[in-house]
């Protein structure tokens, strides 16, 4: 099993450009999450999907959109990148409301110039 | 004030020392998680607790639901334990139960 995979690992964008971060899990988990991690602020939830076909906003959804393409894949899109979106992005999945252990992807380091 | 507070924020230790990291929370919870983030960035789940104590190798996690407090202990610390340790809670209603609330992490450095 690959667990949770994310692409790309690194990305540099110019202000106003768009991009999609891809996430996939092969553990048949219902719940998937997108977080951003900034120095001194801990992990903050951007969007989550409790099951295939549903998505909900987290703490910091502005400037982002998501798609739960199927049970395996959950993508995060930045329509018009801003320097404030420079961060490390993590995708995670879990069996919640089952055992609730979260499995994280390796992260994407995004810089917006 | 954050719902989840960790202390200390930074911790240095000599190899072999006993280490304690604390987590306090202010909401009712159904579970508490301890996560480890290595310098390379990857995050792994260490423990999920709803009561009592769990042990895995040199790591021990305890929780006191009445006091809203959890501790992560590392016995016989080693330089490879150097990482950021993150506490997170799954709240109970009336809070949104679909998402975890994270602390800001404790950065641990263990020197030989």
């Amino acid at each position: 099993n690959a667990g949770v995979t994310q692409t790309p690992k690194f990305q540099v964008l110019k202000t106003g450009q768009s991009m999609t971060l891809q996430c996939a899990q092969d553990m048949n988990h219902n719940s998937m999450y997108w977080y951003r991690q900034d120095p001194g602020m801990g992990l903050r939830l951007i969007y989550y999907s409790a099951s295939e076909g549903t998505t909900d906003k987290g703490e910091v959804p502005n400037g982002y959109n998501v798609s739960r393409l199927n049970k395996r894949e959950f993508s995060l899109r930045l329509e018009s990148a801003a320097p404030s979106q420079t961060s490390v992005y993590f995708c995670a999945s879990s069996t919640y409301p089952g055992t609730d252990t979260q499995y994280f992807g390796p992260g994407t380091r995004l810089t917006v110039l | 004030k954050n719902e989840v507070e960790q202390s200390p924020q930074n911790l240095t230790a000599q190899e072999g020392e006993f280490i304690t990291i604390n987590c306090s929370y202010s909401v009712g919870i159904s579970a508490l998680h301890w996560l480890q983030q290595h310098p390379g960035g990857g995050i792994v789940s260490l423990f999920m607790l709803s009561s009592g104590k769990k042990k895995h190798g040199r790591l021990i996690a305890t929780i006191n639901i009445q006091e809203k407090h959890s501790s992560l202990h590392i016995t016989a610390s080693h330089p490879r334990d150097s990482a950021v340790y993150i506490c997170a809670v799954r709240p109970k209603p009336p809070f949104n139960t679909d998402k975890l609330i994270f602390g800001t992490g404790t950065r641990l450095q263990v020197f030989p």
Side-chain angles (χ1 to χ4, degrees), chain A residues 64-111:
Chain A
Y64 305 95
N65 285 302
V66 289
S67 295
R68 183 76 183 265
L69 304 168
N70 47 54
K71 194 169 187 180
R72 288 188 65 246
E73 297 171 290
F74 188 38
S75 62
L76 178 72
R77 183 160 177 84
L78 287 70
E79 291 291 352
S80 179
S84 60
Q85 293 178 305
T86 294
S87 188
V88 181
Y89 291 85
F90 288 96
C91 177
S93 70
S94 80
T95 57
Y96 186 79
T99 61
D100 200 22
T101 298
Q102 295 223 338
Y103 296 83
F104 286 82
T108 296
R109 188 173 294 275
L110 175 67
T111 302

Side-chain angles (χ1 to χ4, degrees), chain B residues 7-9 16 22 31-32 35-37 49-50 55 63-65 72 74-75 79-80 83 90 93 98-99 106 111-112:
Chain B
S7 63
Q9 286 187 308
N22 297 298
L32 182 141
L35 307 164
Q36 181 190 56
Q37 184 172 26
L49 295 160
S50 54
K55 184 175 190 290
I63 188 168
N64 185 319
I65 295 291
L72 177 68
I74 304 175
T75 61
R80 64 175 175 266
R90 173 78 66 181
D98 284 339
K99 56 184 184 177
T106 294
F111 294 100

Side-chain angles (χ1 to χ4, degrees), chain B residues 1 8 13 29 37 63 69 78 91:
Chain B
K1 187 180 187 303
I29 68 168
Q37 184 172 26
I63 188 168
H69 182 267
H78 190 276

Side-chain angles (χ1 to χ4, degrees), chain A:
Chain A
N1 286 351
V4 180
T5 57
Q6 287 182 238
T7 55
K9 286 192 164 56
F10 301 94
Q11 184 72 49
V12 178
L13 293 178
K14 293 182 180 175
T15 297
Q17 288 185 316
S18 62
M19 77 162 295
T20 300
L21 281 66
Q22 306 286 355
C23 174
Q25 53 90 9
D26 61 1
M27 296 173 283
N28 202 36
H29 288 170
N30 289 323
S31 299
M32 296 185 74
Y33 310 85
W34 275 106
Y35 297 97
R36 59 178 289 174
Q37 186 179 42
D38 301 295
M41 298 198 71
L43 288 157
R44 291 186 292 169
L45 183 65
I46 305 170
Y47 271 94
Y48 66 100
S49 170
S51 62
E52 185 179 352
T54 68
T55 61
D56 284 286
K57 294 178 181 178
E59 301 170 67
V60 288
N62 290 346
Y64 305 95
N65 285 302
V66 289
S67 295
R68 183 76 183 265
L69 304 168
N70 47 54
K71 194 169 187 180
R72 288 188 65 246
E73 297 171 290
F74 188 38
S75 62
L76 178 72
R77 183 160 177 84
L78 287 70
E79 291 291 352
S80 179
S84 60
Q85 293 178 305
T86 294
S87 188
V88 181
Y89 291 85
F90 288 96
C91 177
S93 70
S94 80
T95 57
Y96 186 79
T99 61
D100 200 22
T101 298
Q102 295 223 338
Y103 296 83
F104 286 82
T108 296
R109 188 173 294 275
L110 175 67
T111 302
V112 183
L113 302 174

